[in-house]
């Protein structure tokens, strides 16, 4: 099916949406080539658009071709019974190489997570950028720093391998609530970041459910022979945002100085403010976390509620004072 | 012809061509687009080439020899995304790191990262990667609707600053300082972006203070990127600039006064992250019974007091004046609480 050309007109400047569309279709076409008969809905999901937008992209592609623009010179993607097929792909069978910003962004993310293979992975990304752009990649890579790895390379390397191979791990883990190290076997599903920390999200058979484990509290990690099947990405996606607040939010009273600092803390919501300070709420954290936050303002903040959290705070102040 | 369409047509032509395509031929094939005055149409073609390269499609000019005519071509090896030949754990590393960064919402080049994840699904046969990318693209496309306004502002700021850092364009910042709590306006040459404790910071040459400065993105009230000459850099970062030096600097290492030698004791049991929280330059000594002593130099001592207070079972041993300060803070709090 080859559509007619649109009438000629002045070329508008490339809008971000136009650029986004170009980048999208450079993935869409090869993806559809690789997955013949992929449902419209599924392809739309993979492209990050809704079905209407996807069909719009397909319409746009009907006009793409190469000179001399004979019928067989056009791209030809068609929908039949809610499925997408590619009749003519015009050599768009794989996406283009990584742009330097795509590769640099992913490299920065990888370096923040760390692991034994991180420099190997970054080099592979660099090699996947067009030759002319590799220097820009090097430059850009030095302009983003997304954090320091949360644990030793060997611990992270083994965790990553266990996740890749679907193998359970035995962890030596420091449990903050019990203030002790313990050994436990976990089925590692994925690694997630929250409020500046990395967590292993995995199934703990001892507790019969999936739980987050702070990666910087994992002292040792050993692979076992126990295999498992991780839940699909769609199920894991919500776990990446496991910050879904549960329980009563902790309230803090903040002095004017603390207020300015607290405002930018991720997860902190200012609910009241005036010239003499304000009140902040933090959802989904325990009394220990709130106490540490309040004390980090050096006397300019107090935990107010719920009562158990206030007691925890008062007790922490009393104990700390006892040390001096 | 629409530009997006022309760019793809051009790519299709050069991908399919068995040998380099001459400028004459390109002009003949795209008469509406490159048919004007010679100079204008060459400039237009060069812009198109630049845009294709920004999409990851390198168009090259071959000067020709006995066997091949002179002209433009897309080297297939330099176009198609290759397979990343990496062991599974390294691919998992990329996949996990990219997914987590996208899920967090605020990340430099977030849209590019989503595209990178789509491509990873090809280069690493990681089916989940395109799904993660799709979810992220949808969220980024929806814009601010579901985000908290302050969070959305950070996401938007990061996107603008990412572009400014890459293109070396000057930015104008309206900034609310935390200490002095005054709002200032200034021009900044953005050198780099770093993340610490879940927040993003800009480092750059500040034209108001005439020095390198760090800006918390959460305190940026408004931001504009110099719109003039988008492809021409406004500055070159200083040669001695290293982003990691700024990014790994702890608050008590901000150079506000001469170095003060400090000693901190951590009572057992000591969580590994507590030790790590003192940064890479702290000297750590483990005691026999599980306690830990940390020694470091502080050039911004009040920040060290704040940090130690926020830790459970930690105590400043030296110097005496910091110890007294910590005690005074705690005593004041205790009085208020009783």
């Amino acid at each position: 099916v080859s559509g007619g050309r649109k009438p000629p007109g002045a070329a508008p400047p490339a809008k971000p949406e136009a650029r986004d569309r170009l980048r999208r279709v450079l993935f869409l076409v090869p993806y559809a080539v690789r997955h013949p008969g992929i449902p419209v809905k599924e392809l739309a999901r993979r492209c990050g658009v809704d079905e209407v937008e996807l069909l719009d992209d397909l319409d746009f592609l009907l006009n793409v071709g190469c000179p001399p623009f004979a019928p067989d010179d056009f791209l030809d993607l068609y929908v039949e019974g809610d499925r997408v097929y590619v009749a003519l792909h015009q050599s768009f069978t794989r996406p283009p190489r990584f742009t330097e910003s795509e590769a640099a962004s992913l490299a920065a993310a990888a370096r923040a997570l760390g692991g034994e293979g991180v420099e190997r992975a970054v080099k592979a990304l660099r090699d996947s950028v067009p030759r002319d752009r590799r220097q820009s990649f090097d430059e850009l890579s030095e302009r983003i720093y997304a954090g320091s790895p949360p644990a030793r390379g060997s611990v992270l390397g083994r965790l990553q391998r266990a996740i890749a191979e679907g193998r359970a791990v035995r962890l030596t883990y420091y449990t903050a609530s019990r203030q002790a190290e313990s050994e436990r076997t976990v089925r590692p599903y994925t690694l997630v970041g929250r409020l500046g920390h990395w967590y292993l999200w995995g199934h703990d058979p001892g507790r019969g459910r999936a739980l987050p484990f702070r990666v910087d509290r994992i002292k040792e990690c050993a692979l076992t022979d126990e295999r498992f099947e991780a839940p699909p990405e769609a199920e894991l996606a919500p776990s990446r945002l496991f910050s879904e607040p549960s329980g009563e939010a902790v309230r803090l009273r903040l002095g004017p100085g603390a207020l300015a600092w607290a405002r930018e803390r991720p997860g902190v919501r200012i609910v009241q403010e005036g010239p003499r300070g304000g009140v902040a709420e933090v959802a989904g954290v325990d009394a220990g976390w709130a106490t540490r936050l309040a004390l980090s303002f050096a006397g300019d903040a107090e935990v107010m509620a719920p009562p158990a959290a206030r007691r925890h705070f008062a007790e922490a102040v009393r104990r700390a004072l006892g040390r001096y | 012809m629409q530009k997006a369409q022309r760019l793809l047509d051009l790519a299709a032509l050069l991908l399919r061509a068995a040998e380099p395509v001459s400028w004459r031929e390109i002009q003949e094939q795209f008469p509406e687009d490159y048919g004007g005055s010679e100079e204008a149409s060459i400039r237009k073609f060069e812009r198109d080439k630049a845009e294709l390269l920004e999409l990851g499609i390198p168009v090259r000019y071959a000067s020709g020899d006995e066997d091949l005519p002179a002209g433009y071509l897309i080297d297939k090896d330099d176009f198609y995304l290759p397979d990343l030949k990496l062991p599974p754990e390294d691919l998992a590393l990329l996949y996990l790191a990219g997914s987590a960064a996208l899920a967090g919402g605020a990340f430099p080049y977030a849209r590019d990262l989503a595209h990178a994840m789509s491509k990873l699904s090809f280069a690493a046969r990681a089916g989940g990667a395109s799904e993660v990318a799709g979810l992220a693209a949808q969220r980024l496309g929806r814009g601010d609707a579901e985000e908290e306004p302050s969070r959305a502002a950070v996401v938007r700021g990061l996107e603008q600053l990412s572009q400014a850092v890459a293109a070396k364009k000057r930015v104008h910042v309206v900034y609310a300082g935390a200490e002095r709590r005054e709002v200032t306006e200034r021009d900044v040459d953005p050198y780099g972006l770093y993340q610490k404790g879940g927040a993003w910071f800009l480092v750059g040459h500040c034209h108001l203070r005439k020095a390198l400065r760090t800006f918390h993105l959460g305190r940026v009230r408004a931001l504009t990127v110099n719109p003039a000459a988008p492809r021409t850099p406004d500055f070159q970062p200083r040669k001695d600039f290293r982003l990691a030096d700024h990014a790994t600097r702890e608050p008590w290492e901000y150079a506000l006064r001469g170095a003060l030698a400090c000693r901190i004791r951590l009572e057992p049991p000591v969580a590994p992250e507590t030790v790590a929280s003192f940064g890479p330059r702290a000297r750590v000594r483990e005691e026999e019974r599980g306690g830990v002593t940390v020694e470091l130099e502080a050039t911004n001592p009040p920040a060290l007091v704040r940090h130690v207070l926020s830790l459970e079972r930690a105590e400043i041993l030296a110097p005496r004046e910091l110890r007294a300060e910590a005690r005074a803070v705690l005593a004041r709090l205790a009085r208020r609480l009783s």
Side-chain angles (χ1 to χ4, degrees), chain A residues 83-120:
Chain A
R83 288 172 179 273
V84 180
Y85 298 88
V86 183
L88 297 166
H89 56 62
Q90 305 304 342
S91 304
F92 291 108
T93 49
R94 273 181 86 84
R97 284 171 172 262
F98 289 116
T99 65
E100 67 264 31
S101 42
E102 289 166 358
S105 179
L106 187 50
R111 283 194 170 126
L113 173 56
E116 278 163 327
V118 65
E119 288 312 311
R120 220 167 26 218

Side-chain angles (χ1 to χ4, degrees), chain A:
Chain A
V1 186
S2 51
R5 285 271 167 175
K6 287 182 182 126
K15 291 185 212 114
E17 309 91 72
R19 199 174 127 82
D20 254 3
R21 164 178 269 184
L22 274 174
R23 298 175 82 179
R24 190 165 61 236
V25 299
L26 285 166
F27 166 76
L28 185 164
V29 178
Y31 199 86
V33 170
R34 185 177 274 193
H35 302 274
I38 184 169
V40 172
K41 198 173 172 175
E42 166 87 7
L43 187 57
R45 198 158 56 84
R46 301 263 167 183
C47 293
V49 293
D50 61 31
E51 290 170 56
V52 177
E53 288 169 292
L54 184 89
L55 294 175
D56 204 36
D57 280 350
L58 294 182
D59 270 349
F60 162 76
L61 286 171
L62 286 179
N63 289 309
V64 171
C66 58
F69 301 110
D72 279 352
D73 294 331
F74 285 89
L75 267 171
D76 188 359
L77 284 81
Y78 60 93
V79 178
E80 205 172 86
D82 279 343
R83 288 172 179 273
V84 180
Y85 298 88
V86 183
L88 297 166
H89 56 62
Q90 305 304 342
S91 304
F92 291 108
T93 49
R94 273 181 86 84
R97 284 171 172 262
F98 289 116
T99 65
E100 67 264 31
S101 42
E102 289 166 358
S105 179
L106 187 50
R111 283 194 170 126
L113 173 56
E116 278 163 327
V118 65
E119 288 312 311
R120 220 167 26 218
V122 169
K123 184 178 180 305
L125 288 175
R126 184 183 190 275
D127 291 344
S128 308
V129 171
R131 231 168 279 128
D132 284 0
R133 305 304 289 182
R134 286 182 198 159
Q135 211 189 325
S136 311
F137 166 82
D138 295 339
E139 219 178 286
L140 208 49
S141 294
E142 288 173 12
R143 303 272 171 256
I144 327 167
Y145 184 97
S148 325
R152 292 204 313 273
S154 55
V155 167
L156 287 161
R158 271 175 245 141
L159 270 181
Q160 287 152 5
R161 197 170 134 217
I163 292 168
E165 295 177 2
R167 284 168 65 180
V169 284
R170 203 162 32 250
L171 304 178
T172 308
Y173 187 72
Y174 177 90
T175 310
S177 56
R178 274 183 278 141
Q179 302 184 0
E181 276 172 25
S182 62
E183 292 237 336
R184 53 176 87 200
T185 303
V186 173
R187 292 174 187 169
Y189 290 164
T190 189
L191 297 171
V192 295
R194 187 205 161 199
L195 301 184
H197 297 296
W198 280 98
Y199 294 81
L200 163 68
W201 179 258
H203 186 267
D204 182 347
R207 303 243 220 129
R209 61 193 170 97
L211 293 166
F213 299 90
R214 258 181 80 155
V215 173
D216 57 4
R217 289 181 187 153
I218 300 174
K219 276 208 161 164
E220 287 301 334
C221 166
L223 270 72
T224 71
D225 290 329
E226 189 204 325
R227 306 264 167 179
F228 66 90
E229 188 88 34
E233 180 55 38
E235 245 170 77
L236 285 179
S239 77
R240 294 188 189 289
L241 303 164
F242 65 91
S243 57
E244 254 104 273
S246 61
E248 193 179 337
V250 178
R251 286 171 84 89
L252 293 98
R253 186 162 64 209
L254 304 168
L259 191 65
W261 287 102
R263 196 186 307 282
E264 291 83 31
R265 292 285 187 108
V268 175
R269 208 160 59 89
I270 309 293
V271 291
Q272 231 183 71
E273 65 180 301
R276 299 179 55 205
V279 175
E281 273 189 7
V282 196
V285 297
D286 62 13
W289 195 96
T291 294
R292 287 192 294 278
L293 176 68
L295 284 173
S296 75
F297 294 122
D300 203 23
E302 273 173 58
V303 178
M304 303 307 292
R310 177 145 176 100
R311 278 197 301 275
H312 186 281
F313 175 70
E315 180 60 18
V317 169
R318 197 187 55 74
R319 264 201 323 267
L321 188 58
R323 279 192 198 96
Y324 291 91

Side-chain angles (χ1 to χ4, degrees), chain B residues 202-274:
Chain B
L202 162 72
V203 190
H205 177 79
C206 168
H207 288 265
L208 180 68
R209 306 285 182 227
K210 310 227 177 310
L212 272 183
R213 282 288 183 269
T214 298
F215 303 92
H216 191 305
L217 258 56
R219 291 190 205 120
V220 172
R221 295 280 169 81
L223 176 74
T224 42
V225 181
N226 175 17
R231 284 181 210 274
T232 310
D234 289 337
F235 64 91
Q236 285 299 329
R238 277 162 48 170
K239 288 257 186 313
D240 60 350
F241 174 73
R242 278 192 64 237
L243 182 61
D245 292 345
H246 297 262
T248 62
R249 203 171 47 167
E250 305 300 335
W252 54 87
E253 293 176 324
Y254 294 168
L256 297 184
R257 51 155 286 174
L260 190 65
C262 305
R263 202 163 72 248
I264 297 109
R265 182 165 184 279
L266 308 173
E267 230 173 82
V270 180
E273 82 256 23
T274 305

